[in-house]
Amino acid sequence: MTRQAAVALFALLPFSSVSVSQNVPASTSPANFPAPPSSVFGFHDFSAQARLDQTFLAVPDAKLAGEELKELTKAPHWASSPEDYATAVYVANKFKAAGLETEIVPYKVLLNKPVHILIEGFDNGRKIMSGPTPEHVDPKVDGGDPFQDDKRILPAFNGSSPSGDVTAPVVYANYGTPADFKKLAEMGIPVKGKIVLVRYGDNYRGIKAYDAQRAGAVGVLIYSDPADDGYVRGDAYPKGPYRPSTGVQRGAVQFLPIYPGDATTPGIASTPDLPDSKRIPADKIQSNWPSIPVNPLSYQDAAPILQALGGPDTPRPWQGGLPFTYHTGAAEGGKVTVHMNLQMDTKLRTIWDVIGKIPGTQYTNDWVVAGNHRDAWTFGAVDPNSGTAAMLESVHGLGVLLKQGWKPKRTIVIASWDAEEEGLIGSTEWVEAHPDQMKNAVAYFNTDVGVSGPNFDASAVPSLAEFIRQITREVPSPKGGTVYDQWLASQKANLGRHQGRPEHAPTASVDQVHVGELGSGSDFTPFLQHDGVPSTDIGSGGPYGVYHSAFDNYNWFIRNADPTFVYEQQQARVFGLEILHMADADILPYNYAAYGQHIEHYIQAASARATQSKLQLDFAPLEAAAKRLTAAGSAVESRQNMAGSDATSLNQTLRATEAALLIPEGLPKRPWYKHAIYAPGEFTGYEAVVIPGVNEGIDAADQARTQTQIGRLTEALNRAASVLETAAHNPQ
Ligand SMILES: [Zn+2]
């Protein structure tokens, strides 16, 4: 899964008429490289690094990335399958060939696999639908799809759904948000005892299941409406990039905002030898998995049910793209019923992370970790293997540097995660297995969907926003100029992932790229939100309607995303430079003045919301703590620019500042999440909630809880400020 893709569901823009194939961009070579900057934050003298960067940038190869993508996606490779293991071996061999110390690390984790899925719809007892219909497009139209008949494609299902056999009347609940369920209650349409039909989009699917279950539903069906990623957006595959009628979005419905990773081992690693006594039994994981059956549907299968529904017209914004008026379903009785029979084989299964290391020479314990998941719901050409192919080309570049005698100052760890789709499992278990190393990890660089189109975008903690901007100024874009130039242009044209959210930006500058916030939905979550490792997440987007379907395959990719793999090459270069700069910087390039300014802005926004909600809260000490952090960040910046012999202690102090932003007791109701500034929203899932303790207290209109959370955040900011002040006031 990926937050990027989730956002894309409702942020996709009607620009599908702009086909990449009309103007295929050419590969960029050293002749196109921008002149390297004369100075870069974190380096005393950038000239040597600039030469290294140029050598690196020349290596990632578009054609090779294409070959790697083709190999990785030749078969469906659901986590724990033999085909998934084959991709682990392939990636491990690539790591070894580049000179990385490589191991395949297994974990044993709880996964559900569909054995039998039956969904039947009835109108007054008459059968109107029997599914699921296999994903299929006409092979004779627009070239068809060469991958769709692969027998290894699992039936469309939701990860973390229990088995179940229920028959009940149906209610349509739009996107299944808290506001949607509230609206149904106001309309006098009870959800209790019903099967809830909701559409994908707006929030994380696990939250739809969470809210439906809390409202008393006995089952949930989640379908893809053509208004959200189908023909209303543009031509459907194979003619265009959008979801065809039989396309289904698989995906986890784990309660990710409570904790990610293996449901049986929150906070500890699911190593193969972990005794069962240390695990939560599979029948006692209700805080993390739904207790009611949940399954996805195509709109072809959902339409007959939706069309037959009685009851009142829905509120007009609930109307999707199907050619009839949407109704909610009847308040009582209900002539439309659905029979859901899901039989899951749920057990501990082995998954495989691939970990490659390049030992550092100077700061061996300071790990720079970079990763991408490898497992896919089906073929995973975009999600995630466009990221894997690019990462392999980044590794290719690091390998060339190693052969020329380069050694990084800090230890580099490259990770190919497994079972991300089921709930960030491979990354979470690995992070939980390395608590001491995570205290020294200086950065985690994530990519998930590496390339679904030509529009680069990035999210990061604010301390690394300028770091990522700087790097994109060194990399050429296939569109001309630098990646930074094109990123800024696409943001001005509102094509990026982060449009329309000015409340998160402290300065509405039109001349500087806005770097997004990290919510969840990918593997940075355990690093940042459990252990406070400063993180970034990068990728290049475009119209992408086949997310988590059988059609996310190599054929879709070369027709829609990146036919010449030049954005793969670009992605490999940006990802690789992130690793190189962080591994070799003299002084860690964290900008805490920028971080403090962001936090001040978050606090102002929260304070205004509290006033609107008529909550009586004292924000003054919190505002003072945030200002103190900004001031300490500014003071330490000059030390970062001039430190010499004391670099080691300054670096330790800088890393300790991020750790000081962890709240030891964690967030209310979800102690696994410890970061004071960023968390996945309890009711949004993938979307970031900033200063989550405070903002979710305000959402709950809980004055006492919010005041407590203001206190904890104040302490965290003062802790971080005081760590920085030690460095700022303690010259060599
Ligand atoms: Zn993914």
Side-chain angles (χ1 to χ4, degrees):
M1 79 184 124
T2 162
R3 188 181 59 82
Q4 178 181 353
V7 171
L9 286 180
F10 55 93
L12 285 176
L13 295 142
F15 64 115
S16 63
S17 56
V18 183
S19 162
V20 256
S21 55
Q22 287 164 11
N23 180 18
V24 174
S27 184
T28 43
S29 62
N32 314 96
F33 289 175
S38 54
S39 75
V40 167
F41 188 49
F43 293 90
H44 296 319
D45 172 5
F46 189 66
S47 53
Q49 184 66 36
R51 284 191 295 278
L52 192 74
D53 287 0
Q54 297 291 305
T55 308
F56 169 80
L57 288 170
V59 182
D61 187 284
K63 191 161 163 282
L64 283 177
E67 289 168 13
E68 286 151 355
L69 182 68
K70 193 170 188 179
E71 178 65 24
L72 285 160
T73 61
K74 68 182 181 188
H77 49 288
W78 180 67
S80 81
S81 67
E83 294 80 12
D84 174 41
Y85 184 72
T87 60
V89 171
Y90 176 75
V91 167
N93 285 338
K94 289 278 177 181
F95 283 9
K96 282 179 201 158
L100 276 57
E101 297 172 5
T102 304
E103 54 177 341
I104 294 180
V105 181
Y107 293 102
K108 260 174 85 179
V109 305
L110 192 71
L111 299 180
N112 63 312
K113 182 180 182 181
V115 177
H116 174 76
I117 306 278
L118 176 68
I119 316 284
E120 297 173 301
F122 299 90
D123 184 2
N124 277 322
R126 183 176 60 90
K127 193 181 283 187
I128 51 173
M129 168 281 217
S130 181
T133 305
E135 292 177 287
H136 208 265
V137 293
D138 188 336
K140 294 185 286 299
V141 176
D142 294 315
D145 179 80
F147 289 90
Q148 62 187 359
D149 295 324
D150 194 305
K151 296 281 175 286
R152 294 167 294 189
I153 299 170
L154 291 175
F157 74 110
N158 285 124
S160 307
S161 170
S163 295
D165 190 350
V166 293
T167 302
V170 179
V171 166
Y172 171 63
N174 193 32
Y175 292 114
T177 65
D180 293 334
F181 283 105
K182 190 162 166 252
K183 186 72 194 170
L184 274 180
E186 284 166 13
M187 293 173 76
I189 308 292
V191 168
K192 197 166 187 314
K194 306 275 179 66
I195 288 174
V196 174
L197 176 65
V198 290
R199 55 172 163 160
Y200 274 111
D202 199 57
N203 61 358
Y204 162 57
R205 68 185 86 71
I207 302 294
K208 300 174 196 288
Y210 182 67
D211 282 338
Q213 182 178 312
R214 279 161 29 118
V218 296
V220 181
L221 292 171
I222 316 175
Y223 81 101
S224 299
D225 196 285
D228 298 302
D229 63 7
Y231 58 73
V232 175
R233 295 280 168 181
D235 281 323
Y237 181 72
K239 188 174 186 198
Y242 288 100
R243 192 178 299 271
S245 62
T246 57
V248 189
Q249 182 188 140
R250 294 153 184 79
V253 291
Q254 183 192 38
F255 299 155
L256 179 75
I258 310 296
Y259 63 88
D262 178 21
T264 72
T265 62
I268 59 170
S270 293
T271 49
D273 56 356
L274 186 75
D276 284 353
S277 59
K278 295 267 175 68
R279 294 177 183 268
I280 304 172
D283 59 351
K284 294 204 168 53
I285 51 170
Q286 290 88 345
S287 70
N288 199 240
W289 281 28
S291 57
I292 57 175
V294 186
N295 212 72
L297 281 184
S298 64
Y299 75 76
Q300 178 167 314
D301 283 348
I305 305 169
L306 201 48
Q307 186 165 19
L309 282 181
D313 289 5
T314 55
R316 284 304 81 204
W318 292 25
Q319 175 76 37
L322 293 169
F324 49 79
T325 301
Y326 291 22
H327 294 253
T328 61
E332 270 170 55
K335 66 185 178 95
V336 179
T337 56
V338 158
H339 173 215
M340 292 176 74
N341 184 358
L342 313 185
Q343 290 173 26
M344 299 290 178
D345 176 17
T346 301
K347 64 180 184 190
L348 294 177
R349 293 182 150 88
T350 301
I351 60 165
W352 306 276
D353 290 346
V354 183
I355 305 292
K357 281 198 184 109
I358 305 173
T361 53
Q362 197 172 336
Y363 303 112
T364 48
N365 292 325
D366 292 7
W367 288 6
V368 175
V369 189
N372 157 253
H373 78 93
R374 191 187 65 254
D375 66 298
W377 286 112
T378 65
F379 300 93
V382 168
D383 180 8
N385 298 120
S386 62
T388 317
M391 184 168 86
L392 289 178
E393 282 309 298
S394 307
V395 167
H396 180 195
L398 297 178
V400 167
L401 298 186
L402 283 171
K403 287 186 183 82
Q404 294 181 0
W406 163 80
K407 291 188 172 72
K409 283 197 180 79
R410 298 181 179 82
T411 296
I412 293 171
V413 180
I414 312 280
S416 168
W417 309 119
D418 205 351
E420 187 269 359
E421 294 293 3
E422 273 71 19
L424 324 179
I425 297 179
S427 57
T428 299
E429 299 313 313
W430 187 83
V431 162
E432 289 174 344
H434 297 86
D436 293 333
Q437 289 89 339
M438 288 305 101
K439 291 190 185 107
N440 295 312
V442 295
Y444 174 66
F445 300 127
N446 191 63
T447 188
D448 186 332
V449 169
V451 178
S452 65
N455 302 310
F456 179 84
D457 213 341
S459 300
V461 287
S463 50
L464 290 178
E466 189 54 31
F467 171 81
I468 182 75
R469 287 188 198 106
Q470 185 82 62
I471 279 165
T472 58
R473 289 187 188 103
E474 273 190 72
V475 179
S477 165
K479 291 182 260 191
T482 67
V483 174
Y484 183 88
D485 299 334
Q486 296 298 340
W487 185 10
L488 185 60
S490 72
Q491 236 169 41
K492 283 181 174 171
N494 217 22
L495 297 180
R497 287 190 274 167
H498 305 295
Q499 68 272 28
R501 290 165 49 204
E503 75 279 12
H504 283 173
T507 50
S509 165
V510 289
D511 295 320
Q512 178 167 273
V513 154
H514 171 57
V515 179
E517 285 76 25
L518 292 164
S520 188
S522 198
D523 293 304
F524 55 80
T525 276
F527 288 91
L528 175 66
Q529 293 160 352
H530 190 59
D531 280 332
V533 180
S535 299
T536 72
D537 183 35
I538 64 167
S540 183
Y544 170 47
V546 297
Y547 174 58
H548 288 186
S549 76
F551 306 116
D552 183 357
N553 59 42
Y554 185 79
N555 190 60
W556 185 95
F557 190 90
I558 57 171
R559 293 186 60 147
N560 296 290
D562 189 12
T564 50
F565 311 104
V566 289
Y567 292 98
E568 285 286 320
Q569 178 183 48
Q570 167 184 300
Q571 167 82 2
R573 285 168 169 163
V574 176
F575 198 61
L577 278 197
E578 286 192 280
I579 298 165
L580 276 181
H581 280 202
M582 193 57 77
D584 279 342
D586 300 305
I587 304 296
L588 292 170
Y590 304 152
N591 183 337
Y592 279 103
Y595 210 149
Q597 283 162 6
H598 271 77
I599 296 169
E600 285 183 51
H601 181 80
Y602 301 156
I603 293 168
Q604 281 165 17
S607 172
R609 289 202 322 121
T611 307
Q612 272 175 11
S613 304
K614 312 238 181 306
L615 295 175
Q616 304 290 320
L617 298 163
D618 181 9
F619 277 90
L622 180 56
E623 285 163 352
K627 284 200 168 63
R628 181 181 164 196
L629 179 63
T630 307
S634 299
V636 92
E637 206 171 309
S638 52
R639 292 265 336 273
Q640 287 172 283
N641 282 323
M642 53 180 249
S645 59
D646 63 332
T648 303
S649 72
L650 180 57
N651 282 328
Q652 282 169 352
T653 303
L654 290 164
R655 176 62 185 85
T657 306
E658 194 72 35
L661 293 172
L662 296 175
I663 298 176
E665 50 276 82
L667 294 175
K669 296 193 276 180
R670 42 196 189 127
W672 188 92
Y673 284 97
K674 301 200 182 297
H675 203 270
I677 314 301
Y678 298 105
E682 190 188 350
F683 294 105
T684 59
Y686 287 171
E687 194 82 341
V689 166
V690 299
I691 53 170
V694 174
N695 272 321
E696 294 191 336
I698 295 169
D699 289 342
D702 185 335
Q703 184 152 309
R705 166 176 152 189
T706 312
Q707 196 63 61
T708 303
Q709 291 299 315
I710 288 175
R712 289 198 181 145
L713 179 58
T714 307
E715 282 168 24
L717 298 183
N718 279 325
R719 260 197 315 272
S722 108
V723 172
L724 276 183
E725 284 160 1
T726 343
H729 300 142
N730 187 20
Q732 60 197 42

